[in-house]
Amino acid sequence: MSAPSNKKFENRLVQWIDDRLPIFSYADANVIAYPTPKNLNYWWNYGSLAGIILVIMLVTGIFLAMNYQPHADVAFASVERIVRDVNYGWLLRYLHMNGASMFFIVVYIHMFRGLYYGSYKAPREILWMVGVTIYLAMMATAFMGYVLPWGQMSFWGATVITNLFSAFPLVGDYIVTWIWGGFSVDVPTINRFFVWHYLLPFILIGLVIVHLWALHVHKSNNPLGIDIKSPQDMMPFHPFYTIKDLYGLGLFMIFFMYFVFFAPNFFGEPDNYIPANPMVTPPHIVPEWYFLPFYAILRAVPDKLGGVLLMFAGVFVLYVLPWLDTSKVRSATFRPIFKQMYWIFFLDCIFLGYIGFNSPDEQLLGMKMLYWGRIATAYYFFHFLVLLPLIGKLETPKPLPSSIYEEVAKKCRAKED
Amino acid sequence: MTDNPTNTAEEIDGPRRDFLLISTSALGAAGVAVAAWPFIHSINPAADVLALASTEVDLSAIEEGQSVTVMWRGKPVFIRHRSAAEIAEAESVDTSDLKDPESDADRVQKAQWLVTVGVCTHLGCIPSGQSVGDNRGEFGGWYCPCHGSHYDTSGRIRKGPAPFNLPVPPYAFTEDTMIVIG
Ligand code: HEM
Ligand code: FES
């Protein structure tokens, strides 16, 4: 993605191909010799992990699609058949189902990494914004995927989420009918959702390529958040980070496979094993865990349109984040106030998720969840719109180290002593 | 080894690293191969498809000279209640003249009942000859309209491009006039 190197290859066939189609130089420039900061910690593993999970989702999804039937009459039965009768169908399904949760876990860590180390700041704003777009595309993909098994949660989740669009004045109802292809979530809806669910991951691949393209222009940020200044600050990606990424992958797969083999329905809702029934809504409908904070924001607002708009704003505010944070210092390590606010914001997001999971009328410490939800929602936006611009102006950052290289050398010396 | 009594880091580390690299890569490759199997196997016939793989047929309603076609594994199976003349003709053939030599006795369990898979062994068309008015080819059995294969009253290939006789599926008589195919 950066310009091809002038590398010469010993193997003459490789050289011959490379002179005509420089795939080997590209690979060399982008994953072998690719210069990477020396001081990346394990929070930098999650980008490549996300990429690997995307591949796992694609492969399991394609094989599931070979036995899945996107028709309201038979979709539920076809999924049960996959689990019971198709050879290893249970494995494919549980990999895909839990893979979705793993994908969000990994991407949330990846995003919070960026928030902590200021990776969204100049010159990586577009890299960050492509990331937000990836996140949106992932949410759309996951939502439509969840509809496909056509259980009660699929059906009512689809009904509720698509009805969000009815909040828009005048055109709302037409939009919803248009999305449904009818007057309720029905045969046409599941068919088109399947098409989108199959298509979007390939669009995701395209977005990831753009994401990496942007990444490779200014290279990775790093835990110190300071710029790369000399070749001494870097080392080749291979073998140092290929090994580190693979090691992280091994650990992550243990975590992933625990759920696949021992708790495959941990992240799911039992109600989704009841076939969709358009006449009966389950008493307690909740979205998948990764949507819960936004669900809490939606319900915090007493007005239908207001709730929908605020929920979307919760994601879209990330697009303007690079311009809301006024500090030039990237890494939270050198920003004492920001660092505390970061952790409060992190807890606020978790708390929003907790509120989204519970019914609004439930009590927590003598107050209804609904009111807690309003406080947490207000804080979410307060952090972005008020705290970030202010802290950057008011805080005195700690002195920045002069170079990555010196800092790494200092640590090595300390270890040797 | 060199004259130097202490080995260099290169000498100690080199073989060790080679060993680690090769063994890890080999294990990784084996892991990928093992993980690939569920994917490959998932598109083989599933348990429910295999469960549908036997078909029961009541023969009592089929008059002599009549044929019926039943479905087995998604393919037509021809069952013909052969007349004495048809049986005699099938039995009289000298097997050494045949493209795919097989005696009639090897192809039936009860001489009046011929059971074969009704798919031309050339390129998979369904031969005609199940109804009385159909073209049955030059040997009174079946005729494949696609590229002109002629089958005899034992379902054997006699003329045309098809290489083999119509295959006899596995079947068993559960009663005198009741068979289970598959
Ligand atoms: C399909 C999902 C995604 C994939 C496959 C992916 C992939 C990657 C990879 C491989 C890297 C380099 C390694 C690393 O720094 O960890 C990276 C970096 C980055 N990603 Fe993502 N990413 C995804 C989603 C996102 C999202 C949702 C965001 C933010 C909203 C985001 C923001 C960033 C940023 C800012 C960097 C540069 C980080 C740095 O250098 O400090 N990514 N991404
Ligand atoms: S398919 Fe029957 S003759 Fe070619």
Side-chain angles (χ1 to χ4, degrees):
Chain A
M1 316 222 170
S2 50
S5 63
N6 293 321
K7 187 165 167 81
K8 290 285 168 236
F9 296 91
E10 265 176 48
N11 184 312
R12 284 178 54 212
L13 177 63
V14 170
Q15 185 63 52
W16 185 90
I17 295 173
D18 203 68
D19 286 338
R20 284 146 185 85
L21 181 71
I23 43 174
F24 295 103
S25 314
Y26 261 77
D28 185 69
N30 289 292
V31 288
I32 309 287
Y34 178 68
T36 317
K38 275 181 177 167
N39 60 336
L40 299 188
N41 57 30
Y42 274 104
W43 300 115
W44 265 259
N45 276 51
Y46 290 87
S48 73
L49 269 184
I52 292 166
I53 297 177
L54 180 59
V55 172
I56 294 176
M57 295 305 281
L58 278 165
V59 175
T60 52
I62 288 168
F63 278 84
L64 282 173
M66 291 186 194
N67 281 295
Y68 171 76
Q69 295 184 303
H71 190 287
D73 294 347
V74 289
F76 186 89
S78 79
V79 172
E80 287 309 298
R81 177 178 172 273
I82 287 172
V83 175
R84 292 173 187 170
D85 286 341
V86 171
N87 308 312
Y88 292 104
W90 57 272
L91 181 58
L92 298 179
R93 176 164 191 237
Y94 290 150
L95 281 171
H96 199 76
M97 235 167 84
N98 290 283
S101 281
M102 295 301 133
F103 205 174
F104 278 96
I105 291 175
V106 164
V107 164
Y108 279 137
I109 294 175
H110 187 69
M111 291 168 71
F112 273 104
R113 182 282 315 263
L115 288 175
Y116 187 86
Y117 293 110
S119 298
Y120 49 84
K121 293 185 191 180
R124 296 186 183 82
E125 300 94 326
I126 293 188
L127 170 59
W128 171 261
M129 291 163 84
V130 175
V132 178
T133 311
I134 289 174
Y135 177 51
L136 280 170
M138 272 177 69
M139 290 202 284
T141 310
F143 160 64
M144 286 191 271
Y146 193 58
V147 175
L148 300 181
W150 212 242
Q152 276 288 70
M153 280 295 163
S154 302
F155 184 88
W156 292 101
T159 303
V160 170
I161 301 294
T162 49
N163 263 316
L164 290 178
F165 292 94
S166 71
F168 292 104
L170 301 175
V171 289
D173 285 332
Y174 294 101
I175 296 179
V176 174
T177 308
W178 180 71
I179 293 174
W180 286 342
F183 301 97
S184 65
V185 173
D186 207 339
V187 174
T189 324
I190 190 171
N191 204 153
R192 60 188 63 183
F193 276 24
F194 180 55
V195 171
W196 281 108
H197 184 68
Y198 207 126
L199 178 64
L200 275 173
F202 292 90
I203 293 176
L204 267 169
I205 290 186
L207 287 168
V208 170
I209 290 173
V210 175
H211 191 65
L212 294 178
W213 187 5
L215 174 73
H216 284 203
V217 176
H218 291 283
K219 315 282 186 276
S220 287
N221 182 28
N222 64 84
L224 297 173
I226 55 175
D227 288 334
I228 296 167
K229 286 169 192 144
S230 73
Q232 276 183 310
D233 290 343
M234 301 181 286
M235 53 189 190
F237 192 82
H238 181 75
F240 301 106
Y241 286 110
T242 40
I243 284 297
K244 192 174 178 177
D245 279 349
L246 278 174
Y247 178 67
L249 174 68
L251 293 183
F252 186 76
M253 286 308 255
I254 293 173
F255 177 73
F256 184 3
M257 292 306 132
Y258 170 78
F259 290 104
V260 170
F261 290 109
F262 300 105
N265 291 299
F266 178 81
F267 294 103
E269 281 291 320
D271 270 10
N272 220 27
Y273 285 102
I274 302 169
N277 182 349
M279 300 297 140
V280 183
T281 309
H284 184 48
I285 63 164
V286 278
E288 291 284 83
W289 68 266
Y290 34 82
F291 294 131
L292 289 174
F294 298 105
Y295 194 51
I297 296 178
L298 173 76
R299 291 193 306 195
V301 186
D303 177 63
K304 184 171 168 183
L305 179 61
V308 173
L309 290 179
L310 204 66
M311 182 183 72
F312 283 114
V315 182
F316 281 89
V317 70
L318 294 173
Y319 277 115
V320 289
L321 170 63
W323 295 274
L324 290 173
D325 186 342
T326 47
S327 170
K328 291 276 170 282
V329 177
R330 293 195 193 101
S331 177
T333 314
F334 305 104
R335 301 186 58 193
I337 315 273
F338 171 79
K339 192 183 198 168
Q340 291 170 31
M341 294 305 132
Y342 171 89
W343 287 113
I344 294 174
F345 173 74
F346 176 77
L347 291 177
D348 188 53
C349 292
I350 306 277
F351 187 52
L352 276 171
Y354 173 76
I355 292 163
F357 181 74
N358 287 287
S359 129
D361 294 326
E362 228 151 294
Q363 295 281 326
L364 177 69
L365 303 175
M367 193 160 75
K368 268 197 194 174
M369 283 289 175
L370 176 66
Y371 300 117
W372 285 110
R374 289 186 181 159
I375 296 173
T377 301
Y379 188 81
Y380 181 93
F381 288 99
F382 180 70
H383 175 83
F384 282 114
L385 301 177
V386 180
L387 285 180
L388 285 185
L390 277 185
I391 299 169
K393 295 253 155 52
L394 302 178
E395 169 189 62
T396 324
K398 293 189 197 167
L400 294 177
S402 53
S403 78
I404 295 173
Y405 167 70
E406 270 169 43
E407 208 60 16
V408 171
K410 222 187 279 170
K411 266 200 186 160
C412 288
R413 258 179 264 129
K415 248 187 212 162
E416 273 165 17
D417 291 344
Chain B
M1 296 286 145
T2 57
D3 295 337
N4 190 341
T6 44
N7 294 336
T8 61
E10 180 77 3
E11 281 167 342
I12 298 167
D13 246 20
R16 178 174 159 272
R17 293 211 166 191
D18 286 347
F19 173 76
L20 287 174
L21 178 67
I22 293 167
S23 53
T24 320
S25 312
L27 200 64
V32 169
V34 170
W37 175 244
F39 290 86
I40 296 165
H41 193 40
S42 75
I43 51 178
N44 269 328
D48 62 332
V49 176
L50 295 175
L52 289 178
S54 67
T55 304
E56 203 178 34
V57 191
D58 183 359
L59 304 178
S60 55
I62 310 171
E63 303 280 325
E64 185 173 307
Q66 262 190 343
S67 299
V68 296
T69 306
V70 296
M71 258 318 223
W72 174 65
R73 287 189 176 175
K75 287 189 283 203
V77 168
F78 294 162
I79 302 172
R80 185 173 287 188
H81 191 166
R82 299 192 295 185
S83 64
E86 285 172 327
I87 297 169
E89 196 188 318
E91 285 175 345
S92 68
V93 177
D94 180 358
T95 53
S96 60
D97 293 344
L98 297 174
K99 193 190 236 176
D100 181 11
E102 233 182 335
S103 74
D104 187 60
D106 288 341
R107 294 178 51 80
V108 294
Q109 293 181 18
K110 294 185 180 175
Q112 68 269 43
W113 298 108
L114 176 69
V115 182
T116 68
V117 174
V119 178
C120 179
T121 61
H122 181 224
L123 294 174
C125 293
I126 311 298
S128 76
Q130 283 296 87
S131 304
V132 183
D134 287 353
N135 182 353
R136 288 184 166 177
E138 290 171 25
F139 300 86
W142 289 268
Y143 170 72
C144 183
C146 289
H147 313 91
S149 290
H150 299 251
Y151 296 93
D152 68 12
T153 56
S154 190
R156 292 172 297 202
I157 180 67
R158 300 296 290 275
K159 186 178 167 187
F164 304 114
N165 303 334
L166 294 178
V168 177
Y171 67 94
F173 281 88
T174 51
E175 282 165 44
D176 218 24
T177 55
M178 187 71 96
I179 59 169
V180 174
I181 305 171

